[in-house]
Amino acid sequence: MVKNYLFGFSFYLLTGCVCLYGQYSGGNGTVSDPWQIASAEDLVTLGQSPEDYCSNFILVADIDLKYIPFMSAVIAPIRYDPNSGYVVIAFSGVFDGNSKCIYNLTIDTLGDSDPVNDDANYLGLFGQCSQAVIKNLTIKNGSVNGGNSSYVGGLCGYNEASHITRCLYEGEVKGNVYSDNIGGLVGYSTWLWFSDDYLEEAKLEYCGMIGCVTGGYRVGGLVGQCGASETIACFANTTTTGVDSVGGLLGEYWSHVAIANCYALGQVTGESSVGGLIGYSQVIAEDKGISNCYSACKVNGDYHVGGFIGYAENEGVVHNCFWDIDISGIGDSSGSEGKTTDEMHDSSTFINAGWDFVRPIWGIQGQDYPKLAWNNPDIDNNSIVNWNDLAQITAQWLLKDCGWCDNSDLTGDLAVDIFDLNYLVNRWLDIDQMSDHIFSITIGVGHDYSSPNDDNDTEYNFELKVMTDNTVDHIDFITTSNHSVQIPKRGYWASEGPDGNFYTDWDYNVDLNAYEWSYEAELFNLDDLQDYDTSGYGEYEIIIYYQNGHIHSVTIPFGVPETTNPLPQPVQIPLLIEINDGDYITTPESVAWEPWSACNSLQNSLIYFGLDHDESGEEFKYLLKCEDGVSEMPHLHEGEWESSLAFAVWYDFMQNNVPVSIYKYTESDYDFIIIP
């Protein structure tokens, strides 16, 4: 239970719950047998049963809420408790929309002209969700009117570390000029911070908003305010109006995670910090930033107005992004590159910038803007594109008012037409090789000397990274000693044990347009590495569990490829000769290290030397083949610098059509200070 202070009063946020058996149309709330929501009465029962908020639910029929108006959120609304003040019990379970629709959601507070009404905040189908999963849901003809309220969205008012995927809202979301955090889909989306060792990020994937959004501050076509909330392959086609920090996709964005492969269409109007995609960006240099996005919105504003971003504190975090100069009426913008409408309708504009039209993430049909390719043409998930999938397309043919159209909208243009048929025909009889969804695997072992002057101050590291697409649910890996670890589909997680520190992470890799699953063990004793079979030639089993129920296994040898020889472990402590840890030095300065005894006897060996300056974000990296161990240090400005020197042995090879890299390294760290 966390006590929060907002708007001059206190309320308690409760994120845990005790699951009790409620009365729905079937099921028992478990993963294998979720509660079945088949009627408006079931949905209202869920909203009134916070004891069930940690359970699993599935929508088994379309629901029409036309005659059921609400004055607060349907599920997880803010409530007043005379003993505790205002209370929100957040939804923390799983809600699977099952490709069904909720029609005519209507939420209206006491009206635009009324004074601030504290108990009307947190509005949407879900008032607040925390560490929840909401997926495969369409809300059509929705109307959410928050008046003065804050945290208002069509789907969710306040999203804390939840995973929202394949959700679409069509309709209106309204606040007045005093309202804050107003978004078409989500009002405010952010992380959940536990400690320095663990945080859970929010994730929005494959979501969209069509309609109009009106508010005061931090108003976005998709999300009003987005902080540490990964937003991947989403779009908004809206008329968005606000006062300050108003964007076609996001009103305000601050984060260390990615906004990637998104677009905004429509019109954006505000007074200050008004942008076609983002109104106000606070992203700093070290953050992943905004990649492969575009906007084609008419933009109107008075101060800090941009075709792509209204105001950006750092333009260097925008990569390969564009906005339509002709449509926006704006000739400049922070970060991105302006193009004419003709150029925006030319696929070469985006292909030359490295956008992915092959896997694909994007598709472009005729003279039009790129659209997101939402679905695999294997619609029925039987691992082959055939007549069954064609039948799915036929059943939805020429429909435009069907949400994701039972996964038949393959091109993401919200219609089932000739473009979807072409997409399917071009992949006719393709067999879904599950290894195609595993883009690469990397396994490494390292001896990390934290202090080069003390060889007892050593960590023994094991590292695993697996790159996949978005269809994977979780990953297991097993060593030959049956040491088993699972990487769950969640953000950064750290745990401590008597033998060391352990980390897992699931994150979007902007550069590779793929999801990176990682596991790292920092062990205190060399013997503990034996659990990971690193002493000789062993094999790892990487087991991929897909969302559609498929399970795929890849066995990775850890040793010199095509032999039974173990991968040698560099054991010499990497020592610099002319620079010691903690030295005061001037530049330029030559850098030399003790010769590595294995340097000339091993193939696939290298020396890594890197420099990093925390305050400025400057970083210099050198990956060198075994040479004489001397290089010229670049001219570094005054301040504290960190250096890493490593000797490494590595091999790259293919295993079951998957690129694999394996390596062992020995690394030592140095800190030194540059003086004038």
Side-chain angles (χ1 to χ4, degrees), residues 24 69 74 157 166 187 218 458 461 464 481 508 566 613 622 664:
Y24 304 99
V74 180
R166 296 191 183 278
R218 288 170 281 272
T458 307
N461 296 335
L464 170 71
S481 66
Y508 187 78
H613 189 278
Y622 304 85
K664 288 187 177 181

Side-chain angles (χ1 to χ4, degrees), residues 480-491:
T480 54
S481 66
N482 288 321
H483 183 75
S484 178
V485 173
Q486 182 176 106
I487 308 177
K489 196 171 190 175
R490 67 182 178 200

Side-chain angles (χ1 to χ4, degrees), residues 223 339 394 593 631 640:
V223 182
K339 298 288 185 181
T394 304
W593 44 79
S631 65
E640 297 184 9

